[in-house]
Amino acid sequence: MRLAGPMRAVAVLLLLGLTWVLASSILGGDSSSLVKHFFRETKPRRYKCGLSAPCPQKHLAFRLVSGAANVIGPKICLEDKILVSSVKNNVGRGLNIALVNGVSGELLDTKSFDMWAGDVTDLLKYLRPLHEGTLVFVASFDDPATKLNDEARRLFEELGSTVVKELTFRDSWVFVGAKGIENKSPFEQRMKNSKSSNKYEGWPESLEMDGCIPLRAPLEN
């Protein structure tokens, strides 16, 4: 009876060893590949801009994150490239905008517009001459709305926005629109500044939005 314990342990070790040998032979005879295979299978796959699934062909993967209060800046990612972020030192209070060629996906420009103490004329001059098909990515930081006038709101509506007409002081806002869009954009979120529901003192929570945007066909001459 005293040998029952040791014999049971030996049997378990033999079973584990046999399992290891069989698995090793299946994976090509290299026992180290078993460990690599295990970790490769359990590690979650990562897609562009942190999306949970890959985008279809001829679509652009994107992720927008609005600023958190007046402390953490916004972020705009496109096709796994960071276009706007605090790390790149190209964010500012107000509206942070990236313009992208809707046919090629090429970045055209990035700029921020101070909607608290800035001049809305600068924003108007930026939006008025946009070419047909230009994609417009917007992420707010601190205050996106105080200096917005009727024309600025109308220009964003023409890009596909449905909430810009209601945007107010210190709201959080993320939006993707396009020059010449026929319908309203499906890529837009707004978090209203409200004392009763704000996550931060004086500011609502940050918004995060991602998705896949189809590239448009080249315009016919």
Side-chain angles (χ1 to χ4, degrees):
M1 295 298 293
R2 294 179 180 178
L3 295 177
M7 290 297 292
R8 189 178 295 112
V10 171
V12 170
L13 290 175
L14 288 174
L15 180 61
L16 290 174
L18 181 61
T19 302
W20 183 272
V21 171
L22 288 173
S24 177
S25 62
I26 292 173
L27 293 173
D30 183 4
S31 60
S32 65
S33 65
L34 179 62
V35 177
K36 296 178 183 178
H37 178 75
F38 174 78
F39 285 105
R40 183 170 64 249
E41 290 299 318
T42 58
K43 183 179 179 181
R45 295 192 63 180
R46 182 188 179 281
Y47 299 101
K48 293 178 180 178
C49 292
L51 270 65
S52 59
C55 289
Q57 288 188 353
K58 297 184 179 180
H59 283 67
L60 301 174
F62 78 91
R63 181 181 297 273
L64 296 178
V65 183
S66 67
N70 62 346
V71 179
I72 302 175
K75 183 183 295 185
I76 300 177
C77 175
L78 183 69
E79 284 294 285
D80 229 20
K81 296 180 180 179
I82 301 299
L83 307 184
V84 172
S85 73
S86 296
V87 174
K88 292 181 69 70
N89 197 30
N90 63 347
V91 304
R93 177 174 63 182
L95 299 177
N96 292 265
I97 299 178
L99 302 181
V100 173
N101 186 309
V103 176
S104 66
E106 176 189 3
L107 175 64
L108 302 176
D109 192 36
T110 64
K111 199 166 185 178
S112 63
F113 299 89
D114 189 341
M115 292 290 100
W116 169 252
D119 187 348
V120 71
T121 302
D122 295 333
L123 176 62
L124 298 177
K125 291 179 179 178
Y126 196 70
L127 296 178
R128 286 170 182 157
L130 293 181
H131 291 93
E132 187 85 3
T134 300
L135 296 173
V136 182
F137 296 78
V138 184
S140 67
F141 184 26
D142 190 5
D143 175 25
T146 296
K147 286 297 182 74
L148 284 180
N149 60 13
D150 290 343
E151 183 182 359
R153 294 176 190 271
R154 178 179 57 77
L155 288 171
F156 279 117
E157 286 182 328
E158 291 175 356
L159 296 172
S161 173
T162 57
V163 308
V164 69
K165 58 186 176 183
E166 302 171 352
L167 202 64
T168 58
F169 175 65
R170 285 185 177 175
D171 286 354
S172 291
W173 183 43
V174 287
F175 168 66
V176 184
K179 181 69 173 181
I181 189 171
E182 296 181 359
N183 301 306
K184 297 302 180 182
S185 172
F187 302 115
E188 184 172 32
Q189 294 181 17
R190 173 204 179 204
M191 181 65 69
K192 184 174 176 56
N193 172 23
S194 172
K195 290 183 179 180
S196 62
S197 60
N198 282 348
K199 182 175 182 179
Y200 311 105
E201 184 178 354
W203 290 269
E205 66 180 298
S206 174
L207 291 174
E208 187 169 339
M209 178 178 68
D210 60 32
C212 303
I213 302 175
L215 289 170
R216 63 182 295 162
L219 296 175
E220 298 181 0
N221 295 327

